[in-house]
Amino acid sequence: MYKHPLIDRDKMTPAEALDILIEGNHRFINNYSVEKDFQSLLRITRDKQHPFASFLSCSDSRAPVELVFDQALGDIFSVRLAGNIASDKAVGSLEFSSKYLGSKLIVVMGHTSCGAVKAACDDFKDGHIGEIINLIKPSIRHEKTIAAEQRNSKNPDFVEKINALNVKYQIDSIIRMSDIIADMIESREIGIIGGIYDLETGKVKFLEDTLKV
Ligand SMILES: [Zn+2]
């Protein structure tokens, strides 16, 4: 049985970290949760954190990482920004968790029906929201199968295609922007993978073609 990362995290491989997440999401969709002793976890994690996985995921209130993977205090280093965008500050946070906290796996997780992705599909702008959209827009240029008049947020097929392309683009951005993370992936100290959380079923579909472990 899986023990708290504080105890055995250092021996964990990136592939094992992914298995723990897959098992946790399976519990979540089956409405089951492992018992958590938050009082003892508060005590254990009081002075130091040992997250086994780092997430770059969307801020959407319906996609809380710890809940959908049935994890507890100290397990997940969570970076959440609308559209799960690899801004320089997001990448810096992932460098911190990977290099200095020893986290084993980076997951870039989008979700179905993402408002930020829809806004990018419509080239929406207001206040600072345009800065988020600008970091999603390259994924739209990567999509070449949908006809011009169908390329908007009213077309769910287009939105979900952009959603998956966006996850892949953000992974590429992280690796392109960060020598620290690229080197750690190369030396197999950490892994990286993309996934899409389904708001209807609660299931996370990992994108196997993005996996580097
Ligand atoms: Zn979203």
Side-chain angles (χ1 to χ4, degrees):
M1 188 60 195
Y2 165 60
K3 292 185 197 137
H4 188 273
L6 189 65
I7 300 160
D8 60 4
R9 194 282 322 261
D10 286 341
K11 291 185 220 141
M12 198 184 283
T13 66
E16 285 167 346
L18 179 58
D19 285 342
I20 289 166
L21 293 172
I22 291 169
E23 285 169 19
N25 183 237
H26 188 72
R27 291 195 295 277
F28 174 71
I29 57 180
N30 286 288
N31 221 10
Y32 168 72
S33 174
V34 289
E35 199 177 331
K36 296 171 187 70
D37 179 351
F38 287 116
Q39 283 305 313
S40 89
L41 284 172
L42 280 169
R43 218 167 30 250
I44 291 167
T45 58
R46 184 178 53 199
D47 299 321
K48 212 168 180 193
Q49 58 169 325
H50 293 74
F52 72 89
S54 309
F55 272 72
L56 175 57
S57 64
C58 185
S59 306
D60 194 295
S61 60
R62 300 163 294 179
V65 177
E66 287 82 355
L67 287 180
V68 307
F69 290 101
D70 188 34
Q71 299 302 311
L73 300 183
D75 291 334
I76 305 283
F77 189 93
S78 189
V79 184
R80 293 180 65 180
L81 287 167
N84 31 278
I85 47 167
S87 70
D88 50 356
K89 291 162 187 79
V91 173
S93 300
L94 295 171
E95 287 176 335
F96 180 69
S97 64
S98 301
K99 184 168 179 180
Y100 295 99
L101 300 177
S103 173
K104 303 295 183 190
L105 181 71
I106 294 173
V107 182
V108 176
M109 188 174 83
H111 64 93
T112 55
S113 204
C114 179
V117 169
K118 286 181 178 174
C121 290
D122 294 337
D123 202 13
F124 178 83
K125 288 187 185 74
D126 190 19
H128 291 283
I129 296 169
E131 292 166 28
I132 296 168
I133 302 315
N134 283 341
L135 291 186
I136 300 176
K137 266 163 114 177
S139 324
I140 294 178
R141 290 195 285 276
H142 294 157
E143 206 298 313
K144 303 200 189 291
T145 65
I146 306 234
E149 65 277 13
Q150 300 291 323
R151 296 172 75 84
N152 58 63
S153 69
K154 291 192 184 67
N155 178 359
D157 185 33
F158 181 59
V159 171
E160 297 317 326
K161 280 200 162 97
I162 299 303
N163 202 9
L165 286 169
N166 181 48
V167 167
K168 289 172 189 170
Y169 173 70
Q170 303 307 335
I171 288 177
D172 290 345
S173 296
I174 292 167
I175 294 169
R176 188 184 66 245
M177 290 162 73
S178 173
D179 289 344
I180 289 176
I181 290 172
D183 289 349
M184 290 184 83
I185 292 170
E186 181 71 26
S187 62
R188 297 175 178 258
E189 287 170 83
I190 62 167
I192 193 165
I193 190 168
I196 306 279
Y197 174 68
D198 188 319
L199 290 182
E200 276 184 54
T201 65
K203 190 168 170 53
V204 177
K205 182 181 163 206
F206 285 100
L207 306 173
E208 295 296 334
D209 59 335
T210 62
L211 177 67
K212 292 184 181 70
V213 293

